[in-house]
Amino acid sequence: DMIRFRQAVEAPSPPLPWWDAPTAVQNLNVGEALSLAALLFMLLAIRLVATSLSRTAIAASGSRSLDISALARVATFKEVFVAYLNAAILEPLLTLASTEDVSGKDIFINVCELLGLVFWIYMLTDAFDTADVAACFVMRYKVDRDAERSKLKFLQCKRRSIATEHGGLAGTLTRDVALWFCLLGIFSAFFGVVAHRDVVHSWAVFILWAILHHQSRAATVWGSGYLTTFLMPSAALMPLEYCLPLMGDLDVVGGAEGLKDWHAFVQEQTGIELRIDA
């Protein structure tokens, strides 16, 4: 009896199923890694389709309405969004630097959150900073048509084609990854890789973006459908560069004549005719 008991105790445990097998990342099994890879593949496929739809919608040109009151709400809520990003960005970095026994999952999720916050700050700053568009308006449109233009031999105005401009307005990968990093953290929690409390910043940014996206579409829509611009934030936000100067850079746009010039400038640059509801 004692021999049988020892044999029962020393019997090897059954092999793990293949999806529970460990990977090179500590505490991350094969099933979890494949789930994350499938998510990335799905996001890439969605982006390809969404980019095509967005390019088609913008290339159709035509007129687009702009609600100035809704645009003001977008600019105000953007400050709330940026304030949260600035407050949250140090936490994942400090977590990585201060934790002694940090696991592979901790590194993965904190890097995702850190990169997501960084790219969100970059995209919002780029979309709401109208200095480049205002300079383009002054140099390419107004000065380049001035009677004294021939004296400015140092000024070389290189015009971009409408197709090139549409490429930036239809969404760019370097900006849209901001949302992808957040989605990667959220889906990691649903797949059981981490707990939902570990990706609280991803959830917060996701909710803030849902509000800002809805407000931006209330102000103006240049791309395609609601879901397309939600999954491609740059397609919803980058057209605002051609709208915000009507609020904050009135010294550039000026009075009635300047407003007429700005309207013509936007149409020349993008092929879009703005209908302004003030």
Side-chain angles (χ1 to χ4, degrees):
D1 292 339
M2 183 61 68
I3 295 175
R4 290 180 180 179
F5 175 75
R6 289 179 178 176
Q7 289 177 347
V9 171
E10 296 174 359
S13 58
L16 291 173
W18 65 268
W19 55 85
D20 282 335
T23 62
V25 179
Q26 185 181 1
N27 297 329
L28 184 70
N29 60 41
V30 172
E32 294 169 341
L34 288 177
S35 298
L36 294 177
L39 172 63
L40 288 175
F41 179 79
M42 182 183 68
L43 289 174
L44 287 173
I46 290 174
R47 173 172 165 70
L48 289 175
V49 176
T51 301
S52 177
L53 293 173
S54 186
R55 283 179 179 270
T56 302
I58 293 178
S61 298
S63 62
R64 301 289 192 277
S65 63
L66 170 62
D67 188 323
I68 293 296
S69 298
L71 185 62
R73 290 192 293 271
V74 172
T76 302
F77 189 78
K78 168 257 182 183
E79 297 299 326
V80 177
F81 201 155
V82 172
Y84 178 84
L85 295 174
N86 290 333
I89 193 169
L90 284 179
E91 183 178 341
L93 187 60
L94 292 176
T95 300
L96 291 172
S98 61
T99 304
E100 295 182 359
D101 299 327
V102 59
S103 66
K105 287 184 180 181
D106 293 330
I107 294 174
F108 167 75
I109 205 62
N110 279 283
V111 167
C112 281
E113 293 221 313
L114 179 62
L115 291 176
L117 295 170
V118 167
F119 276 99
W120 270 111
I121 292 174
Y122 164 71
M123 178 168 55
L124 291 176
T125 302
D126 189 19
F128 286 83
D129 180 13
T130 60
D132 54 341
V133 177
C136 179
F137 170 63
V138 172
M139 295 183 186
R140 293 185 193 172
Y141 191 83
K142 301 191 75 172
V143 174
D144 203 36
R145 289 168 170 75
D146 193 273
E148 302 292 322
R149 172 68 177 87
S150 58
K151 298 180 181 179
L152 305 177
K153 299 186 182 297
F154 57 86
L155 180 61
Q156 302 294 325
C157 294
K158 298 179 180 179
R159 298 184 179 277
R160 295 193 298 180
S161 66
I162 291 181
T164 302
E165 195 68 27
H166 286 174
L169 295 173
T172 55
L173 180 62
T174 53
R175 297 181 180 93
D176 294 335
V177 291
L179 180 63
W180 291 16
F181 281 120
C182 294
L183 292 177
L184 195 60
I186 291 171
F187 276 91
S188 297
F190 277 113
F191 293 150
V193 179
V194 293
H196 284 281
R197 66 175 180 273
D198 295 327
V199 292
V200 63
H201 291 311
S202 294
W203 273 113
V205 170
F206 181 83
I207 294 171
L208 288 170
W209 166 235
I211 298 172
L212 183 63
H213 171 255
H214 185 76
Q215 292 182 337
S216 67
R217 285 188 65 93
T220 187
V221 180
W222 289 24
S224 54
Y226 196 95
L227 184 61
T228 300
T229 52
F230 182 81
L231 293 175
M232 298 175 61
S234 60
L237 296 177
M238 296 313 295
L240 298 180
E241 283 191 318
Y242 289 99
C243 305
L244 288 167
L246 295 172
M247 295 180 53
D249 292 333
L250 292 179
D251 53 329
V252 175
V253 176
E257 190 64 28
L259 185 60
K260 180 181 177 182
D261 287 342
W262 181 263
H263 182 271
F265 163 72
V266 173
Q267 189 166 10
E268 180 182 288
Q269 287 288 112
T270 65
I272 301 295
E273 180 186 1
L274 276 181
R275 291 185 289 103
I276 303 171
D277 299 325

